[in-house]
Amino acid sequence: MRYLDNRNHDLFSDMFDDMFRGPITSSGQLMKTDIREKDGKYILEMEIPGVKKEDVRISLYNGNLTVSANHTSTDEEKNAAGKILRQERFSGSCSRTFYVSDVITDADIKASFKDGILTIELPTEKKKEEETKKFIDIL
Amino acid sequence: MRTDVQESDDTYTLKMDLPGFNRDDIQISLQNGNLSISAKREHSDEKKDDKGNVLRQERYYGTCSRTFYVGKDMEDSDIHASYNDGTLTLTVPKKTKKELKDTHYIEIG
């Protein structure tokens, strides 16, 4: 259990330092994220302005939590808005991945999206489900 | 405060990224033809305790503002603003000469 604890602490300290960088464009970093620990939970708050909830996807695979967002606008919308005089905001798709340990399952993760902020909550500790001994019947 | 500016036949549309602000903390003012948008997001010490142990902070906290010149003839009522999904959208009309205020003539008594 101690081992698991330590590992979980590494999760948001050392391990992220290298891989923990949002996509960077000429106009700065995208998907800026704050992480805090409170009441046995990690809370991630990620900035994804100007995206609809439906265009944000969260996936969990082999302990990697990936958030991808797609800033799309159809040609019609673009034409309706008129000529672009200045474009600083990002358009396109971007994604960012966090390692959250492979004991975390989909059911442990809660997410909400409001005012361009995606909030994800996950437990800091989770015991690996004890594998029950399986007995094989003798036929 | 990354902003896109688009021009259509009769309006300019500004779209500004302002993720995670309270509506009340965004202030838009118009003075001498300068349209200023300022936004505030603070981390008070009290809140910090409440928020728990901060492990990483990349997002910006504090005040930021940006000003655009829209012309001296613009009035507050001409500009429409909405805030949705972390984006502030401002619509500023293009004023043609006809719409400009009529010059006020003062009668000679």
Side-chain angles (χ1 to χ4, degrees):
Chain A
M1 203 52 229
R2 176 167 283 272
Y3 168 67
L4 196 64
D5 276 355
N6 287 341
R7 200 174 59 169
N8 271 347
H9 278 290
D10 282 347
L11 179 100
F12 286 106
S13 49
D14 308 334
M15 204 179 306
F16 275 166
D17 283 346
D18 299 329
M19 59 182 287
F20 197 92
R21 286 273 173 268
I24 293 171
T25 63
S26 54
S27 51
Q29 195 187 341
L30 292 167
M31 304 178 97
K32 285 186 192 149
T33 308
D34 284 356
I35 300 175
R36 51 181 215 266
E37 187 187 353
K38 194 193 172 192
D39 302 334
K41 280 184 293 188
Y42 287 123
I43 301 164
L44 283 79
E45 287 179 319
M46 186 183 282
E47 291 186 349
I48 322 176
V51 173
K52 288 180 199 122
K53 191 177 158 188
E54 302 85 69
D55 292 333
V56 179
R57 275 188 161 185
I58 306 168
S59 66
L60 183 68
Y61 183 70
N62 284 345
N64 289 307
L65 181 74
T66 302
V67 178
S68 14
N70 204 357
H71 301 65
T72 46
S73 54
T74 60
D75 286 341
E76 267 177 41
E77 280 171 350
K78 274 180 193 165
N79 291 336
K83 197 170 81 183
I84 296 169
L85 300 177
R86 172 186 284 269
Q87 183 160 20
E88 294 168 358
R89 293 164 69 226
F90 178 76
S91 69
S93 52
C94 53
S95 76
R96 190 161 177 182
T97 303
F98 306 89
Y99 180 71
V100 294
S101 99
D102 44 18
V103 295
I104 303 281
T105 58
D106 305 10
D108 299 322
I109 300 172
K110 280 182 202 161
S112 63
F113 187 69
K114 188 180 176 270
D115 288 343
I117 302 287
L118 177 71
T119 307
I120 301 175
E121 288 185 8
L122 55 124
T124 51
E125 265 180 57
K126 196 194 173 193
K127 284 181 192 171
K128 210 165 199 169
E129 276 171 36
E130 282 176 32
E131 283 176 34
T132 47
K133 273 186 190 170
K134 280 176 192 160
F135 294 98
I136 296 159
D137 293 330
I138 301 162
L139 292 173
Chain B
M1 301 182 94
R2 284 188 277 237
T3 309
D4 286 356
V5 183
Q6 287 186 312
E7 179 187 9
S8 71
D9 292 342
D10 45 10
T11 55
Y12 291 107
T13 308
L14 281 80
K15 284 185 182 174
M16 187 178 274
D17 280 349
L18 286 169
F21 285 88
N22 288 326
R23 213 168 271 248
D24 304 335
D25 291 337
I26 302 172
Q27 277 194 326
I28 305 164
S29 67
L30 183 67
Q31 197 176 28
N32 291 335
N34 288 310
L35 181 69
S36 275
I37 296 104
S38 59
K40 190 176 72 179
R41 180 169 54 203
E42 271 177 83
H43 245 358
S44 73
D45 289 338
E46 261 178 55
K47 268 190 179 171
K48 245 180 197 171
D49 292 335
D50 182 47
K51 283 196 163 183
N53 190 10
V54 177
L55 300 171
R56 179 176 286 267
Q57 186 179 313
E58 292 171 358
R59 294 170 58 211
Y60 178 76
Y61 291 87
T63 314
C64 55
S65 79
R66 194 162 175 180
T67 305
F68 298 89
Y69 183 72
V70 291
K72 282 193 174 165
D73 302 307
M74 206 62 70
E75 282 173 45
D76 302 8
S77 54
D78 296 331
I79 297 167
H80 295 282
S82 65
Y83 183 64
N84 197 14
D85 285 338
T87 301
L88 179 73
T89 306
L90 289 162
T91 315
V92 180
K94 280 185 185 176
K95 287 217 167 180
T96 58
K97 279 182 183 171
K98 274 181 191 172
E99 286 170 318
L100 290 182
K101 268 188 209 165
D102 292 331
T103 319
H104 291 286
Y105 294 100
I106 296 161
E107 281 181 54
I108 302 162

